[in-house]
Amino acid sequence: MLTIIIAVLCAVTGAYISMAFGDLSKTASVWIGVGVFLVIQLTVGLIIRKKVNNITGAIQELMEKTQNKLNRKIAQMQSRPMSSPKSAQQMLEKEQNQALREALSITDRAKPYFKWNILLKRQINTMRMMLHYQLKEFKKVDALLPDSFIFDARSVAIKAVRMYKNEDPKFEKYIAKKCRRFKGDDAVLLYALYSWVLVKQEKYDTACAILAQAKNRIDNPVLNANRENLVNGKVKHFSNANLGEAWYSLYLEEPKIKQQRIVQRGF
């Protein structure tokens, strides 16, 4: 917002000076003003973008280092198993959560730039929303969702999960619309989520219809197998487990064999 105000003031000043003291026509002065506006907008935009890229780069570097550190510890545990797998799990989760909280603190560095870019706050809120979701701090996720960008399949899935958990009556309309919008692997996750909720609600016929719709758009063995199981009355065999991390990172179910992970996201 501040960038626009400064750019407009400079543009008006430039146009006035050009017309009053530069002996230029009104049209030429207006074009000079437009040029000044664009140059300031572009210059400030590039500066802010560089600052934000440094922040997101720091988060990605932190997550990569933590992932590598956890991978080494997991390898050590596999070669020398601990007496208590639960203690090992808790230790790894603690380190992961520390990294996520450090990433949250890094996003605070962007706050001074909010007044220079009207969309930056939403961008940072989206990062924070994702990080809080990984920490399972769902109330904070709910608070940030209205002021976040919900464009990619994962953010859509997160919003849909929270609508489902909060018993939002608009859930089904929302997820159905998003399933039709996305394609490929992105659509797989959303169809898997939608059909899972329908099965939990014992709406088996509707779940079959949704999975039939998915089959006409994408060829995915997990969705196809779930449809076949429902058609044949094998509800207990319905499972999204083979989607792996993409599914379990939504925290609707826990894997039978607990997986250690840091979910890396591109910011």
Side-chain angles (χ1 to χ4, degrees):
M1 182 61 72
L2 194 56
T3 305
I4 295 175
I5 294 172
I6 293 174
V8 168
L9 290 175
C10 289
V12 171
T13 302
Y16 173 78
I17 292 174
S18 299
M19 188 166 53
F21 304 103
D23 198 24
L24 296 176
S25 67
K26 184 176 181 180
T27 301
S29 297
V30 168
W31 280 110
I32 287 174
V34 171
V36 170
F37 177 85
L38 293 176
V39 168
I40 292 175
Q41 281 279 81
L42 180 61
T43 301
V44 175
L46 289 173
I47 293 171
I48 298 301
R49 183 179 178 181
K50 184 177 180 181
K51 298 288 187 182
V52 174
N53 284 344
N54 288 338
I55 292 169
T56 56
I59 293 174
Q60 289 173 342
E61 183 180 359
L62 168 66
M63 301 304 279
E64 287 173 5
K65 285 182 177 178
T66 306
Q67 180 70 71
N68 292 334
K69 184 179 179 181
L70 287 184
N71 287 341
R72 289 194 298 271
K73 289 196 172 186
I74 292 171
Q76 291 173 358
M77 290 174 185
Q78 289 172 342
S79 62
R80 297 192 302 272
M82 295 180 65
S83 57
S84 173
K86 185 176 181 180
S87 297
Q89 173 71 23
Q90 291 174 343
M91 181 183 69
L92 292 171
E93 285 185 349
K94 183 178 179 181
E95 288 204 29
Q96 174 175 297
N97 290 344
Q98 285 175 346
L100 292 171
R101 294 196 185 284
E102 187 175 344
L104 280 167
S105 68
I106 292 174
T107 64
D108 289 336
R109 300 177 192 174
K111 288 182 179 179
Y113 310 119
F114 287 173
K115 58 180 175 289
W116 295 95
N117 186 322
I118 57 176
L119 298 178
L120 181 56
K121 185 176 181 179
R122 273 184 173 266
Q123 181 183 345
I124 298 301
N125 280 346
T126 305
M127 291 186 200
R128 294 181 64 84
M129 181 269 291
M130 295 282 198
L131 292 167
H132 281 301
Y133 195 88
Q134 288 177 249
L135 286 164
K136 300 182 182 180
E137 296 175 341
F138 299 126
K139 288 185 178 180
K140 292 182 179 179
V141 172
D142 292 342
L144 287 169
L145 273 170
D147 198 24
S148 297
F149 288 122
I150 311 297
F151 290 149
D152 65 296
R154 178 165 172 78
S155 61
V156 167
I158 287 175
K159 180 175 179 179
V161 169
R162 295 311 303 152
M163 292 175 75
Y164 164 64
K165 289 292 188 178
N166 291 326
E167 300 181 354
D168 189 326
K170 296 179 181 178
F171 162 79
E172 197 163 339
K173 182 178 180 180
Y174 177 79
I175 191 69
K177 179 180 178 182
K178 296 303 180 180
C179 282
R180 293 190 296 269
R181 173 189 163 191
F182 285 91
K183 299 177 181 180
D185 290 341
D186 291 336
V188 169
L189 179 63
L190 298 179
Y191 275 115
L193 169 59
Y194 189 9
S195 58
W196 183 89
V197 170
L198 291 170
V199 168
K200 286 293 180 182
Q201 295 173 340
E202 299 184 358
K203 299 178 180 178
Y204 304 128
D205 290 342
T206 307
C208 279
I210 290 301
L211 291 172
Q213 179 189 108
K215 188 175 182 179
N216 291 331
R217 299 188 62 230
I218 47 181
D219 184 22
N220 180 268
V222 175
L223 299 182
N224 293 341
N226 280 338
R227 178 179 173 275
E228 289 297 321
N229 286 327
L230 292 179
V231 168
N232 295 316
K234 299 178 181 179
V235 177
K236 291 183 179 180
H237 292 280
F238 181 98
S239 174
N240 290 326
N242 285 336
L243 293 178
E245 180 63 37
W247 173 249
Y248 288 120
S249 64
L250 293 179
Y251 300 129
L252 288 169
E253 294 182 306
E254 287 291 331
K256 291 181 180 179
I257 299 175
K258 192 107 171 164
Q259 300 173 2
Q260 300 304 330
R261 63 199 183 259
I262 282 187
V263 182
Q264 298 184 40
R265 305 291 167 203
F267 296 121

